[in-house]
Amino acid sequence: YLVMWYSEVRFSKAEAGVDVRIRLDSSTITNPAIKTGKKQEDEWFFYSGYTTKTLSGATQLKVEFQYRNLGAGTSGVRKSRLQIWRVA
């Protein structure tokens, strides 16, 4: 399967960051920490990517978009999208 994701993320302090995770059935498929000191406070920016994943006959999947703040301030996620395509 081809798994693709997109989200917009923000954090309120330029020296902080946000940790974003996407999980399928308790298996983390991505876990990057997004951190930058050169941004405006409360600026939204995109986070996207893709990977291949072997899924074994499951008829139901538990999908989780998780995020947490790194450091001071607040963080947020909006417009999250996930696509899963079966590829041969």
Side-chain angles (χ1 to χ4, degrees), residues 13-81:
K13 298 287 185 185
E15 67 276 1
V18 61
D19 182 32
V20 179
R21 281 198 310 189
I22 300 169
R23 296 170 57 91
L24 294 176
D25 281 344
S26 301
S27 174
T28 301
I29 62 171
T30 180
N31 189 16
I34 300 169
K35 191 170 185 176
T36 178
K38 297 186 181 213
K39 66 172 286 301
Q40 297 295 317
E41 291 183 5
D42 292 325
E43 175 184 0
W44 290 94
F45 59 100
F46 75 91
Y47 162 69
S48 63
Y50 67 93
T51 189
T52 57
K53 181 79 172 164
T54 301
L55 302 173
S56 57
T59 56
Q60 293 183 354
L61 287 174
K62 181 180 180 182
V63 177
E64 298 176 275
F65 279 85
Q66 300 175 335
Y67 71 98
R68 69 184 176 99
N69 194 48
L70 299 174
T74 59
S75 61
V77 174
R78 69 179 184 185
K79 298 182 181 179
S80 295
R81 305 285 186 268

